[in-house]
Amino acid sequence: MIRKLLVYLALIFVNILFAQEPITIGNSYKINSSILNEERTIDIQLPKNYSNADFAKGKYPVLYVLDGDFNFQFVAALERFDTKFLYRPHPEMIVVGIRNTDRTRDFTPTNATITGPNGEKRFENSGGADKFIQFLQDELLPFINSKYRTNGYNILLGHSFGGLFTLYTLLEKPALFQGYMAIDPSVWWDGKYVFKAAKEQWKTANFKGKTLFVGLAFESEENAKDRLEHGKTIRKFCETILSESPENHLISNWKYYPEYDHGNIPIPATLDALKFLFDGIQLPVKEVPQNPELVQQTYKALSKKLDFEFIPEESLLYQLIQYTKSTGQSESSKKLLKDALQMYPESKQLQKMNQEL
């Protein structure tokens, strides 16, 4: 009897020891689109403390991720990791992944059926980019803005055909997003349609307040002709069109990734793109205790550069006050707390901290 009891208790202990809890990244929602005439699935991750009752109800930028089926999870993980500590290359963001139903249709601006090597027809359903832009403008963005606390700063991330769509959106509806991240974009599409459109519009366009990052992957000389043409066209776009018209006010940059091919470039390029889009946001943390004004100065400079008002998120300020206090700079920590309460007067944790300092 005792033996059976011990075995039973051991089994309970093992079950407890190996109890599993799922790790959840965001939530999925269904949207019925009258524009696309279909149901679309989107995945959403909110900033870590979005629903924390100790925090004030802050507002956040939104990063829209194309090809959400396979890009959402790594982008959501990057957002969470990059905003965990004091040295932050970008602000906390709401991440929205848009899953595909027909990516060729949605991401290509023209109908360009291509005949394959065996005579098969490819991309017959292409050319729906304008309708997809309308879906973003009239349905998805309004849905996100009505459901969540957004601050009006929107970023679009696309890779391959998604990168093509990102560039096309910048040309056709530049006001829709403030930041554009085009990773190894398929600018070869339909006789370089977007490449040519950009060449025509680049000098006369006004991209004030817009930022664009383009990532170029490695293409081996052993690859097929179309793959080599893909890379060469992107490079030509970056070396000529992208940097030739400073009068259009676009803040732009590009980078070549010799160690990454078309398939594995998204992660490193997304890291670099976010860092570039928010270049100047990272605080000189160790200097702040001696000069707390650096926080306000940093965000004012960033706001001027991007033509959009940014303030430091509450989680960053809270950590910064704690750090400054730990260095013995009590007056500086009080100054930071005073500024933080002006930005987030409803914050319970800041109010509590104010009573303790």
Side-chain angles (χ1 to χ4, degrees), residues 40-43 65-74 96-103 107:
R40 299 300 296 251
T41 301
I42 59 171
D43 301 311
V65 183
L66 301 177
D67 288 321
D69 315 60
F70 37 88
N71 289 334
F72 170 75
Q73 290 191 358
F74 87 77
V96 178
I98 309 168
R99 297 194 196 183
N100 296 319
T101 55
D102 187 338
R103 68 189 301 271
F107 297 162

Side-chain angles (χ1 to χ4, degrees), residues 39 44 54 57 62-63 101 104 145 211 222 253 260 265 293 323:
E39 183 180 74
I44 301 172
D54 289 333
K57 296 185 181 299
V62 184
L63 173 53
T101 55
T104 298
N145 291 334
T211 307
E222 299 175 355
N253 194 17
Y260 296 91
I265 189 179
E293 294 291 343
Y323 168 71

Side-chain angles (χ1 to χ4, degrees), residues 74-145:
F74 87 77
V75 176
L78 290 180
E79 187 282 334
R80 187 70 90 238
F81 180 82
D82 280 348
T83 58
K84 188 176 182 180
F85 303 109
L86 283 170
Y87 293 94
R88 302 184 181 187
H90 57 77
E92 294 178 340
M93 296 179 287
I94 297 170
V95 180
V96 178
I98 309 168
R99 297 194 196 183
N100 296 319
T101 55
D102 187 338
R103 68 189 301 271
T104 298
R105 177 200 67 192
D106 291 341
F107 297 162
T108 52
T110 58
N111 181 266
T113 302
I114 297 174
T115 302
N118 298 318
E120 73 279 11
K121 298 293 183 181
R122 301 173 61 195
F123 310 133
E124 290 184 271
N125 203 31
S126 57
D130 289 319
K131 187 171 283 190
F132 195 67
I133 288 176
Q134 187 181 356
F135 160 70
L136 296 178
Q137 176 181 271
D138 298 340
E139 294 181 331
L140 182 56
L141 269 69
F143 170 80
I144 297 297
N145 291 334

